[in-house]
């Protein structure tokens, strides 16, 4: 399966998600939060550093639950990039 390259806006959104999760983790260790969410510490590290800018929905949901965040809050704090509509040329 060939994956479409991410746009700069999508990468930026992934980095923002990573920062939000890292901030919510606070003083808790990465290993502790990852274990509570049922994901590997390496997966959490990749998300937090932006190396995995488009994590799976259930991974984000599990991390949000482990950190006491709501999915609604994450959605509002990581807005989708504006989509540019194609311009019709006459």
């Amino acid at each position: 399966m060939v994956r479409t390259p991410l746009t700069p806006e999508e990468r930026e959104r992934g980095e923002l998600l990573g920062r939000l999760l890292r901030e919510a983790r606070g003083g808790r260790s990465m290993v502790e939060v990852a274990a509570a969410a049922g994901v590997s510490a390496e997966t959490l590290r990749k998300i937090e550093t932006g190396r995995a800018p488009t994590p799976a929905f259930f991974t984000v949901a599990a991390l949000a639950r482990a950190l006491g965040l709501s999915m609604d809050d994450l959605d509002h704090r990581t807005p989708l990039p504006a989509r540019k509509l194609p311009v019709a040329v006459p």
Side-chain angles (χ1 to χ4, degrees):
M1 177 173 95
V2 176
R3 193 165 186 181
T4 305
L6 299 176
T7 65
E9 293 83 7
E10 290 167 327
R11 289 197 176 282
E12 183 179 328
R13 185 178 193 218
E15 291 170 3
L16 177 58
L17 173 64
R19 282 194 302 273
L20 290 172
L21 294 176
R22 191 170 43 254
E23 289 171 10
R25 186 165 54 84
R28 295 171 66 186
S29 76
M30 196 175 281
V31 172
E32 177 186 351
V33 171
V39 301
S40 72
E42 183 60 21
T43 295
L44 178 54
R45 180 178 293 109
K46 286 179 181 178
I47 295 168
E48 284 189 359
T49 60
R51 289 186 11 235
T54 58
F57 172 82
F58 289 105
T59 299
V60 175
L63 288 167
R65 184 175 48 252
L67 293 167
L69 298 171
S70 75
M71 291 297 286
D72 283 339
D73 187 40
L74 284 179
D75 180 52
H76 285 88
R77 294 175 65 187
T78 56
L80 285 170
R83 298 272 186 212
K84 294 182 181 175
L85 298 175
V87 177
V89 179

